[in-house]
Every structure is written in C-alpha cells, then in structure tokens.
Amino acid sequence: MGRVGLGSDAEMGKALEGKDAMTLKLSADRQLGFLLAVNVVIVLIATAWSKGQFVSTDNLQSMANQVPELGLLAIGVMLAMVSGNGGIDLSGTALANLAGVIAALATPALYSAETAPVAYAATFVATALAVGLLGGASNGLLIARIGLTPILATLGTSLLFTGIAVVLTNGSTVRIGDVEPLAAIGGETLFGVPIGFLIFVMATVLLACVLRHSSYGVRLYLMGTNPKAARYAGISLSGMLLATYAISGTLASMAGVLIASRTASVKWDYGSSYLLITILIAVMAGVRPSGGYGRISCLFFSATALQVLSSTFNVVGISNFFRDCAWGLLLLLFLASSGMNFGRVRHR
Amino acid sequence: MTRKQRLSLIAAAATASLVSVGAIQAQGKDVTIATVVKITGINWFNRMEVGVKEFGEKTPGTKTFQTGPGQADAAQQLRVIEDLVAKNVDAITVVPFDPPSLEPILKKAMDKGIKVVTHEADNQRNTMVDLEAFDNAAYGARLNDRLAECMGKSGKWTSFVGSLGSQSHVQWADGGAANASKKFSGMKLVDAKNESGNDANKAYEKTKEILRKHPDIKGFQGSSSLDVLGIGRAVEEAGLQGKTCVFGTGLPNDSAKFLETGAIDGISFWDPKDAGFAMNKIAKMLLDGKTVQNGMDLGVKGYNQVSVSKGPGNGIVVKGQAWVDVDKANYKQYPF
C-alpha cells in the first residue's frame, strides 16, 4: 500500500520543496515502522501473558471481527481530515446507526425475512448504503455549498441523524431477528478470516488505490495541503468536498451494516463511545488534522494496534479503565517517535 | 539497520513467538465463571463483585471474576463478552446493558458449550436462566406506593430510567405508572422515563430541566442507583427537599447524605452481592448438569423460595423475593 498521495519528488514538485519531501519521507517510514512494531510487541506480550491463548484461532477471529466497525468509521474521519479546511466527520456513528435503523424498518415492508432471506439481506445492505450516501452528501453540501465549518456541520448532522433514529424507533431497540445472509456478514468466516474483516481490508485496498492513482486522490491531497492554490489550479473544491464526505458517509453506513449484523438489532445510541476512538485511530495513524497528509496503510495498523491492545486487557483480565490510559500513552509514544509536525507544511 | 533488515527482524520475531507458544499448557480442572456487568466502577457493581468473589472463594474447583466495560455503551459490553467467548470460559453471567444486542453472541456462547446466565433481562431470548431479584412490575408498584403516600396521593410526578433499553428499569417505571393510574387518580405523570445513562450527573441535569419546566412537580421515581443521587442533589440545590418526594433504587451508603437531609425520601434495592452470588451459583449448577426447580432454595438470602417460569426463548426466568425498603430510619443497618 505504501505512501499515498505524496510520491516521488518529481511527481509532487508542485506541492513541496525537496527538503520538506525528504523530512516527510523519513517521518513516514518511522510512522509505519512504529505502528507495525507496536502491533507485534503487543501481540507478543499478550501471547506470553495468556500462555498462547491470545493467538488461538478463536481469539484472532474475535479480534478480526471487532476491528471493521471502528476501522471503516476511522477511514471516513481520515478522508475528511485529509481534505483540509479543518475537515473532520463527527457524524459517523450516528449515521451508521440511522442507516441501520432505516434499513431495519424499511426492508420488512418489501421482503419477509423467512421466505426471502437473501433478498432481505441484499435490500437491507442497499438501503443502508443509500442512507449513508445521502447522509454523507448532506454533510458535504453543508460544508461545501453553505460553507459551514466541518466540525460544526458534522456535529449538527450527528445530532440530526440521532434524533431521526430516536423518533423512528421510539428510543427502543429494533430486533432484526434471524436472517442468515445478514448475520453471515458479521459472523461467518471465509477461509478462516471473518467476512467483516475482509470487507475492511478490501475497503482499505480500494481506497489506497483510489487515493494514490486516481485524479480524485491527487486532487484531494493537493486541496488539503493548500486550498487556495488548489482553487487557482482549477480544482473544484465544492465537488471534491461533496465527494469526500459522501464517501465517508457510505463507509459509515457500511459500519452500520456490520453493527446490525453482529448484534441482530439496531439502536440509536449503539457505539456512543466510538466517536473519540475513531478520531484517536486517525490521529495515531499520522493523519494531519490540518489536512493534506494521511496514509491508509498507517490507518489500518493503527486500528489493529488499538484493537489488540483492547483485547489484551479483556483476555488477560485488566480493568477496562486502564484501556483509555493505555491508548493515551500509545498515542503520545507515537507522536514522540514519529517527530510529527502537526502544523501546515511550510513552503519556501 | 536498513529498512529491509528491520522488517525481516520483526517478521522473524513474530514467527518465533507464534511457533514457541505452540505448546499450550494443559487446562486445570477448575471451571471459570466470568461475570460481565453493565459498567464497572459504580458502587452497585462493586458490591456485586463482593458476591462474585465470595462464591469463588467458598466453592472448590471454581474460579470467578467480574469484568465489564468502562463506559455505558452496549457496543463495549459486546466486545468484552466476545473476548470472553473467544477465551472459552466455562460460564458467563451477564447483566446486559441492552439485551437484544447480545442475542447473537450469547447464542454463539451457548453453541460453544458455555453456560449463560443473565440478570435484569427477562426479555433475553438466548439465555439458559435469567435471574430476577423479584417481580419487576411489583417492585415498581411498591416504589410508587411509597412515593404516593409521601406525595399525599396527588400532584405531578415523573420517572427516570438508566436507558430505554434497560429492561428492568423500564419495567419498574411502567409498573409505577400502572400503579399510579390504577390507584391514585390525583397523581399526574409528566415526562416519563427520562434517561440518565446510569450517570448521576446526567440525572442531576435532567432534574434541573424538569424543575424548570414543571416548577410544581412533587414526585420523582428513579430506577438506576445513580438516579436518586442526581435527583437528590438537584432537589437540595433548589431547596425543595420538603416540597418534593424522591424515591428510587439506590444503595444506602451512596444515598446516606441525602436521606439525612430529606432530599431523598426513600430507597429500595436488592443486595447486588446476593444477586452476584446467586448468578454464579446457578451457573455452577448448570455446569454440574443441574437446573433450577420451582420453589427451590438457592441458599442465598432473598432467594430461598424461587419461582420458575418459562422465558421468551428456551430458557427459564427465576424470580426471588429479595427487595429491601430503606429510608432515613433504617439505612444504617446496611453497610454498603
């Protein structure tokens, strides 16, 4: 997957001077190296502590099943951050829940779960993704056309999505019941790898290719680095922002499908603790909150690092209160080791 | 060291560790029972942990421990249980934050042969035994009776729940509402079932809102053990101790301060220690191949003659009579 967006000096001569590119290359290596090392070290420690039980098939599958929800939401946050302009997406979890709620309420009207489970599951997924796309697009419209600051816009839409979900469900959980194809998405494995995890990996690879090789990707990083220069270069800022937040919304709705599959139910307040965790994953992946820099490979390993640390606590039996403490420590170590400069890239 | 060398060193270390732990130690004969609570760190579940540990100490061949999420989020509780199922514990006893969201994982646990016991979740389908301290509707009605007497059987009142998904809380609130509408026509329920998220601060904020909206409100019925604390604090701040009646589930030590000043008029509870002990005892019985019969004595105070009924799934619901009513006069008898 490698470096995305800021490739060789010759390619990206417009965005950076030579010296800055070298600094970025060195720090980028250190980021990915640190994250890989952290993953390995935590797994080793946990394996030793639990006498090998940590790397049993059951536990590996269980961890692989838990990563995708947070991972997909974190990719959405990353894209929003990379797009610059103080970009962030706070409405991910709320949109995920709303997508699940609308899908769970609308699908039974079209297909019955008992007689046509496959059609039911397909409709469910399609409805959820559509809601995600629309929700994300509405974020994009608020930010691009109306010009709201992303943090305020997505905070507002987060409350709006939550409110709609509460009203539609009267505040209670909506059971989905036993729909095999839908439960398979979040529960079954393919060659021993959970399907949800495969979806996460596929999304990561797909977006890595898009960000590196497509014109959208190149423009996204340019826009994030310097919006003014991007505008003068002819990049349509509002179009790009709309697309970015729409993608983020779709990823959130995919997370919503996974949630619905794993819990066989939908509720408006599921995952209320997820928001800060997804932002943590993005920041610990080295994504610059000011825009213009972020690597999906680092995001992938950042998500897995937090997951293995969290699972270690549960498997070994440490109180969950120390989890937040440990994550904070990990973040500080990451920032220290990568020598990150979170300010704007300086131009000479 | 070049980048390539570094990466290959990491890969070698990883492979070595995986190979070296191929020899997993043989399991001891102790059975492990894991108790998962709604949220760790609040007094209610700290008290439950006392009972959980006590059962492990008193029962040979049994290891017990309690765990739970650090935040009030059904997603976090699900993750804790998933990790325990992956760890292959012998039995899981759980106080579900949101029973429907745990259906798939509990089914998976039972399919793996793990015994499942729940508490405060009589709408849980995928469980073997759901333990209830008492009949929930009756408990709610009792709280409401005491509230009504304090209110002089008339006036506005409201209710609180930890979450609209917390089955037992909703049953108490609904039980209270049904009781009031049946017996006390002078009582008017406003803004029922306010959510406190099992957080005293949220309950406090909500109560302030309600006091602003209904300045003449007379009664509060809380559900979560933290509700009465938040409500009492708001009532005391507003100086309305004498004019309002606050009743709800609560623990004596936490509520002592407000019971003395009259901000809280009365609390009820069931000893979480006994519930934790009973849950683990039932789990051990299931592991030994036995089940709970109607009228059985579980050997725990309040569960000396349990009634057994069919649950919504394939399991049973076991009810005790374990309520305790406490007010300013007798709260000192209970040291928790």
Side-chain angles (χ1 to χ4, degrees), chain A residues 44 175 262 273 314-315 320, chain B residues 17 68 73 76 83 87 103:
Chain A
L44 288 178
R175 286 182 195 248
R262 273 175 15 119
S273 59
N314 283 331
V315 166
N320 267 290
Chain B
S17 77
D73 183 1
Q76 299 295 346
D83 286 342
K87 196 175 164 180
E103 300 286 10

Side-chain angles (χ1 to χ4, degrees), chain A:
Chain A
M1 280 164 241
R3 237 154 287 124
V4 276
L6 296 170
S8 68
D9 299 3
E11 237 176 59
M12 286 288 118
K14 271 181 286 188
L16 298 165
E17 292 286 332
K19 191 166 172 198
D20 277 320
M22 265 313 284
T23 323
L24 223 49
K25 251 194 198 161
L26 280 175
S27 77
D29 277 340
R30 282 155 74 179
Q31 284 170 16
L32 189 57
F34 177 86
L35 287 169
L36 281 170
V38 158
N39 272 294
V40 169
V41 164
I42 295 176
V43 170
L44 288 178
I45 294 179
T47 310
W49 208 336
S50 65
K51 303 190 187 68
Q53 197 264 319
F54 192 77
V55 289
S56 65
T57 319
D58 277 340
N59 197 40
L60 289 174
Q61 283 180 347
S62 169
M63 291 194 293
N65 229 342
Q66 294 174 15
V67 171
E69 277 165 32
L70 288 170
L72 289 170
L73 289 168
I75 297 180
V77 170
M78 174 186 138
L79 289 175
M81 278 188 178
V82 168
S83 72
N85 185 32
I88 193 164
D89 191 349
L90 299 178
S91 62
T93 317
L95 187 53
N97 286 327
L98 179 64
V101 163
I102 293 183
L105 292 174
T107 315
L110 297 168
Y111 294 104
S112 153
E114 282 104 50
T115 58
V118 179
Y120 184 99
T123 317
F124 188 98
V125 174
T127 316
L129 290 178
V131 170
L133 190 66
L134 286 173
S138 58
N139 274 330
L141 281 174
L142 285 172
I143 293 166
R145 292 286 154 78
I146 301 186
L148 292 178
T149 321
I151 192 172
L152 296 178
T154 54
L155 189 61
T157 50
S158 149
L159 294 170
L160 178 68
F161 297 151
T162 304
I164 298 177
V166 174
V167 168
L168 287 175
T169 59
N170 253 324
S172 43
T173 316
V174 176
R175 286 182 195 248
I176 294 177
D178 225 345
V179 186
E180 274 234 25
L182 191 59
I185 299 176
E188 293 301 318
T189 63
L190 200 64
F191 305 118
V193 183
I195 295 185
F197 191 72
L198 288 173
I199 294 177
F200 177 46
V201 170
M202 269 170 24
T204 306
V205 171
L206 187 66
L207 277 163
C209 293
V210 164
L211 288 173
R212 186 172 186 158
H213 297 294
S214 77
S215 64
Y216 165 78
V218 170
R219 287 175 189 175
L220 184 67
Y221 282 92
L222 288 175
M223 178 175 80
T225 312
N226 193 330
K228 202 173 251 182
R231 187 154 28 102
Y232 291 148
I235 296 176
S236 157
L237 291 185
S238 60
M240 291 290 299
L241 285 173
L242 191 64
T244 306
Y245 284 93
I247 297 176
S248 173
T250 314
L251 287 168
S253 64
M254 194 61 226
V257 169
L258 285 173
I259 291 173
S261 165
R262 273 175 15 119
T263 61
S265 60
V266 290
K267 188 154 189 264
W268 62 275
D269 69 348
Y270 191 85
S272 50
S273 59
Y274 278 0
L275 177 59
L276 288 177
I277 300 177
T278 55
I279 297 178
L280 173 65
I281 293 176
V283 170
M284 205 175 85
V287 178
R288 261 202 205 138
S290 51
Y293 184 80
R295 301 165 63 193
I296 280 210
S297 53
C298 284
L299 190 108
F300 183 86
F301 288 110
S302 169
T304 53
L306 291 185
Q307 177 59 50
V308 293
L309 192 55
S310 167
S311 280
T312 303
F313 282 11
N314 283 331
V315 166
V316 163
I318 306 177
S319 164
N320 267 290
F321 280 125
F322 290 113
R323 189 192 68 176
D324 291 339
C325 177
W327 281 356
L329 211 66
L330 199 58
L331 175 64
L332 290 173
L333 282 173
F334 171 83
L335 292 174
S337 91
S338 65
M340 273 302 284
N341 166 26
F342 269 94
R344 292 198 171 275
V345 174
R346 268 186 297 259
H347 296 276
R348 300 238 162 88

Side-chain angles (χ1 to χ4, degrees), chain B residues 19 45 55 69 107 132 158 198 229-230 272-273 282 286 302 304 317:
Chain B
V19 166
F45 293 117
F55 182 79
K107 177 165 188 302
E132 296 295 324
T158 183
N198 290 6
L229 301 180
K273 170 173 91 82
I282 294 177
L286 291 172
N304 303 106
V317 176

